[in-house]
Amino acid sequence: AVAPFLMSSIQPGSMSDTASKVTTPPAAPLSPTNGKLECVSQTLKAVKDYIQQSKIHMSQVCQDMEAGLRMNAHYVNVSVSQREIARAGKNTNRCLDKELIITGDIDRQKNSMGQSQVSIFDSLNGKRYNVLFGNAGMGKTTVIKKLCLDWSIDCIPQFDFVFLLDGKQLALTEPVHSLQTLLLSQSSFAPRCADPDGVYAQILAAPKRVLIVFDGFDELRHYEVLLQTQKKELVASLQKDSKAQAFTVKQLFSSILQRVLLPGCTLLLATRPRGTASQLLRRADSFLEVCGFTPANVETYVSQYFSDPGLRESALDFLKSSSYLNLLCWNPALCHLVCAALEQCKSEAALPRTLTALCHKVLCLKMEKDRGKLLSQLCSIAWEGVKSNSSVVPKGRTVSTQLRAFSLRTGLLLSQSLMRRTPLPLFSSLTIFLLLSVLFLHFPHPVQCLSLPRTVTDHSFLQTLPFQMGAKGRRKPQREEMELTQRIAAGLLFHNRTELQSLHSYSETVFRDMVASKQALVMKHLEGLCFGDLSSAQILEACNYVYEASFTHQESGTDTSAKMLTHLASNLPELLTFRGVPLNPPDVFTVQNARRAGGAEGRSFCLDLEDSGIQICGLRTLVALTCAFLRACIADVVTLWEELEKRSDEGLLQGAVSKFKIHPLKATQVCHIEHLERLVSIHTSKRLSDRWEGVPAVKELYKLEFDVENSKIGDKGAEKLANALVSLHSLEVLNLSENCIGDQGVKKLALALKDLPKLHCLSLYSNVISDEGAESLAAVLPHMASLTDLDIKYNKMTDIGAQSLGASLRKCSKVKTLRMWNQCIPYGVFERLKQQDSRILWQ
């Protein structure tokens, strides 16, 4: 078979054009028969027709959004940012969410790849293995649908073929598939193909013109399983690609991900960021994150949701009056639920104040009267799903026709077809799914459904509370679903009892006693926690947990919920650090809530918000609270100062400047040099206020260390750093080891180093400094009055540079140690220098 020539619609010189020329038989004095020419012509037409049909089909099936909304009317462009990995080691337990470098708000905006899927692929520069991640509800699937729609209107010309593969297809375990049938015949996202052999031949001929998108993988571990090494026999069988052979969907997915099949194609893998991902981290070329809604995005979405101008204005007013509800809209899926709740809201007092109250309100809107038995069955199925970590109704679980019809009609379940087979029911919303599971946990139906247990034991209930201990006493890491389940469990337990009446059939007395018993268990569990042993992530979890319990309903406050908030506030650590823990807008609100209670008791906290990704608006919120000092991203803090200066908020500005600390400063990214330079510029110019004598944080910086693992600062970075160093008069320790600094960089640094009166420790270990740079250091060494330790080992200088430093050392009485050995210095020369001055050391 001859691979068909590429269509004339493809731009000349494209990758597929080149590939087709390679696969075309070599030019020779052949005279093909008219039949062969006609066959090639028909194949060419079939391929062109299939691509056009695919685009038409994609433009139709990718239009649907949640709850009947359409992409063409309700889609809101969200930003996608490029993320970097901190380490490149071979640790077998590497986790994506822990390996990602968390940047500040300003740097995240700089790393944004724009709001267009076209610009995303332009920015990738041909990278073939890409991971798109985001937490539940952040809009990964919506971004993918928009990508497909853009391709359908010829906005992504890099690809002739786009295939969308769903992780839920792994539920199909029969070995009846080939790569050809998987891509062309059995996907609900692909149209019928008139000439599958011809189209498939073109796909094989030009894999670089193929984009394969994997979606529907809720956890990284699903990818990790698929990336496990396959048996050699299976690999050989797959590579033969014989029509007589059949494979499972899992085997085909695995072979695509491991580059056994279509090795030249571009992959885009969507997932949530939590979990071990060692294999994926080693293979991926780039990591992209869906950033969620900005305040402007929220306003656009709400405006598009409400077509009636009166309802639109009312909804926006209600939203502005409810801070937490507004912040929840940062998550696009929750923004949709908020709109559904606002649709029926008649007054500000009726607005839900927590995630639990929001989910409960939406569930009640979806409910029909006298459907208690059906709801009980659905709650049981949801709880099974939480335990098995799947929002798909279990394959072996029988769903009656009545339950299916009720669930689909109310929108609690969706129906998804896999490979054009019987539709698979799955829950329509993660939050509703979790609320249903918690309803079963709290209020298992006593009589109406014999398949349900009559009670849930206290032990089972306690397992849903946060911060459970593992077998060896370690606190178990929580999945995202379980964390949300715990929050909703706490909120529902303290929810207004009258509103919960429609969701259970217990007598008032039984219901009251059941709730009181579980509230007491929650309080006992919270009192048993040692907050000093909790990690930063667990402290944040506790703030979210207690907020749900304390504010789920305006009038449902109980003694227990009030005690929970008081207990949390009085036991929060004095140093409240969220370093390395992403703080999204709703998180900031719950931390603020806990801090307010703590402040009311006269406590003062130290806040460390570095490497938390907090938005500048959230930073402004926390700065306004009583705190002894604040650490955060320098660029974000400086931007906040400038905003406060424009608003003439002198009181908050003065507090923000005076509380800000950077000592000790460990720079882990190249951009941190630019941030420091900008801060020093403000300090020297005194431009924020003539009344202040510079910036206290700059005056109090004693230790500066650069530990940039993936990208070194080099000579250019050293030059920028030199500009900042001239004003760091309190600096005592400077560590610039392993940063690819050469002679030019050292020359600039040397001029600044001599003017640092308190610098006593300088490390330039393992850079690329040669004799010229060593002589620059030797020239300023006698002028560094406080220097006691200099480490310049493992550079590139020879005996010439070593002798210059040795001669200069004799003029420096305060220097105690000079480490400068490297393999470029002859052994005899180094030994002679050591004999002349005992302060010169090997190590």
Side-chain angles (χ1 to χ4, degrees), residues 252-391:
L252 292 171
F253 277 19
S254 179
S255 299
I256 295 171
L257 291 171
Q258 294 188 42
R259 297 303 204 182
V260 174
L261 298 176
L262 294 178
C265 72
T266 298
L267 298 178
L268 181 63
L269 286 57
T271 185
R272 297 175 193 169
R274 295 195 187 185
T276 303
S278 302
Q279 296 286 342
L280 194 59
L281 286 168
R282 281 198 287 268
R283 293 174 183 269
D285 298 320
S286 71
F287 296 88
L288 314 174
E289 181 181 20
V290 182
C291 298
F293 279 174
T294 64
N297 291 149
V298 172
E299 187 168 344
T300 300
Y301 185 90
V302 174
S303 299
Q304 292 177 170
Y305 184 94
F306 294 95
S307 56
D308 181 86
L311 288 176
R312 183 188 307 135
E313 185 177 352
S314 175
L316 288 171
D317 288 342
F318 279 146
L319 198 56
K320 290 175 182 177
S321 67
S322 177
S323 299
Y324 188 67
L325 206 61
N326 200 350
L327 294 173
L328 283 178
C329 289
W330 167 78
N331 183 300
L334 292 180
C335 188
H336 173 70
L337 294 186
V338 168
C339 287
L342 290 173
E343 209 167 359
Q344 303 297 324
C345 194
K346 304 299 181 184
S347 67
E348 185 177 330
L351 289 171
R353 302 180 63 196
T354 63
L355 178 62
T356 306
L358 172 64
C359 294
H360 174 265
K361 189 173 187 67
V362 174
L363 178 61
C364 290
L365 293 174
K366 292 178 177 289
M367 282 290 298
E368 299 176 0
K369 294 181 179 179
D370 303 322
R371 296 293 183 180
K373 180 177 178 179
L374 296 176
L375 183 64
S376 298
Q377 295 175 7
L378 204 57
C379 290
S380 173
I381 294 172
W383 177 238
E384 290 178 19
V386 168
K387 291 190 292 182
S388 63
N389 192 32
S390 175
S391 60

Side-chain angles (χ1 to χ4, degrees), residues 733-840:
V733 178
L734 178 59
N735 185 353
L736 296 174
S737 302
E738 300 179 300
N739 270 293
C740 296
I741 299 173
D743 294 339
Q744 296 304 311
V746 167
K747 283 183 180 180
K748 293 289 185 180
L749 285 171
L751 297 175
L753 291 173
K754 67 178 183 179
D755 295 324
L756 299 180
K758 297 184 179 181
L759 184 69
H760 63 77
C761 183
L762 172 63
S763 176
L764 291 165
Y765 166 92
S766 190
N767 281 283
V768 288
I769 303 168
S770 63
D771 292 336
E772 187 178 355
E775 290 172 354
S776 298
L777 277 175
V780 300
L781 202 56
H783 302 285
M784 301 173 70
S786 299
L787 190 69
T788 58
D789 297 282
L790 173 61
D791 189 347
I792 193 171
K793 292 193 308 290
Y794 301 118
N795 276 274
K796 302 296 182 181
M797 61 185 181
T798 66
D799 55 327
I800 297 174
Q803 289 172 354
S804 296
L805 284 169
S808 180
L809 181 62
R810 290 193 287 271
K811 305 174 185 176
C812 307
S813 58
K814 288 189 177 182
V815 176
K816 297 178 181 178
T817 59
L818 170 59
R819 296 173 173 85
M820 61 175 179
W821 163 251
N822 72 73
Q823 293 180 343
C824 298
I825 303 174
Y827 177 80
V829 173
F830 193 82
E831 278 296 311
R832 186 169 66 253
L833 289 172
K834 281 183 61 182
Q835 291 173 3
Q836 293 173 356
D837 197 322
S838 61
R839 293 174 295 174
I840 298 176

Side-chain angles (χ1 to χ4, degrees), residues 628-642:
F629 78 77
L630 168 76
R631 288 189 71 107
C633 173
I634 293 175
D636 294 347
V637 171
V638 170
T639 302
L640 174 61
W641 291 350
E642 292 170 348

Side-chain angles (χ1 to χ4, degrees), residues 563-759:
K563 287 179 182 177
M564 288 177 67
L565 182 58
T566 302
H567 182 78
L568 172 67
S570 59
N571 284 276
L572 284 175
E574 294 290 338
L575 174 57
L576 205 53
T577 175
F578 295 103
R579 185 184 291 261
V581 179
L583 280 177
N584 61 48
D587 291 335
V588 173
F589 187 91
T590 58
V591 171
Q592 178 195 28
N593 174 67
R595 281 285 292 104
R596 278 176 173 169
E601 296 173 4
R603 299 184 68 200
S604 181
F605 291 83
C606 301
L607 284 174
D608 186 350
L609 304 175
E610 279 194 300
D611 300 329
S612 68
I614 185 172
Q615 295 181 0
I616 293 175
C617 56
L619 185 62
R620 180 171 58 246
T621 298
L622 294 182
V623 163
L625 299 174
T626 303
C627 62
F629 78 77
L630 168 76
R631 288 189 71 107
C633 173
I634 293 175
D636 294 347
V637 171
V638 170
T639 302
L640 174 61
W641 291 350
E642 292 170 348
E643 289 183 2
L644 294 174
E645 185 181 29
K646 289 178 181 178
R647 293 167 51 184
S648 300
D649 194 337
E650 286 291 324
L652 191 55
L653 176 59
Q654 185 171 2
V657 173
S658 61
K659 295 174 185 177
F660 181 53
K661 309 292 180 184
I662 59 174
H663 170 76
L665 179 59
K666 184 175 182 179
T668 57
Q669 301 167 48
V670 175
C671 62
H672 290 170
I673 300 175
E674 299 174 2
H675 300 169
L676 180 61
E677 186 180 16
R678 185 179 174 193
L679 180 67
V680 169
S681 174
I682 291 176
H683 169 73
T684 55
S685 64
K686 301 179 182 179
R687 65 181 178 83
L688 282 176
S689 176
D690 294 334
R691 298 193 302 271
W692 299 341
E693 292 297 324
V695 178
V698 174
K699 296 179 181 179
E700 299 164 3
L701 178 60
Y702 305 113
K703 183 177 180 180
L704 176 58
E705 183 176 1
F706 284 83
D707 184 14
V708 186
E709 298 189 17
N710 281 359
S711 52
K712 313 303 182 181
I713 67 174
D715 284 345
K716 290 184 179 180
E719 291 177 18
K720 290 182 179 180
L721 178 60
N723 295 332
L725 286 176
V726 293
S727 299
L728 302 181
H729 299 301
S730 299
L731 191 65
E732 299 176 357
V733 178
L734 178 59
N735 185 353
L736 296 174
S737 302
E738 300 179 300
N739 270 293
C740 296
I741 299 173
D743 294 339
Q744 296 304 311
V746 167
K747 283 183 180 180
K748 293 289 185 180
L749 285 171
L751 297 175
L753 291 173
K754 67 178 183 179
D755 295 324
L756 299 180
K758 297 184 179 181
L759 184 69

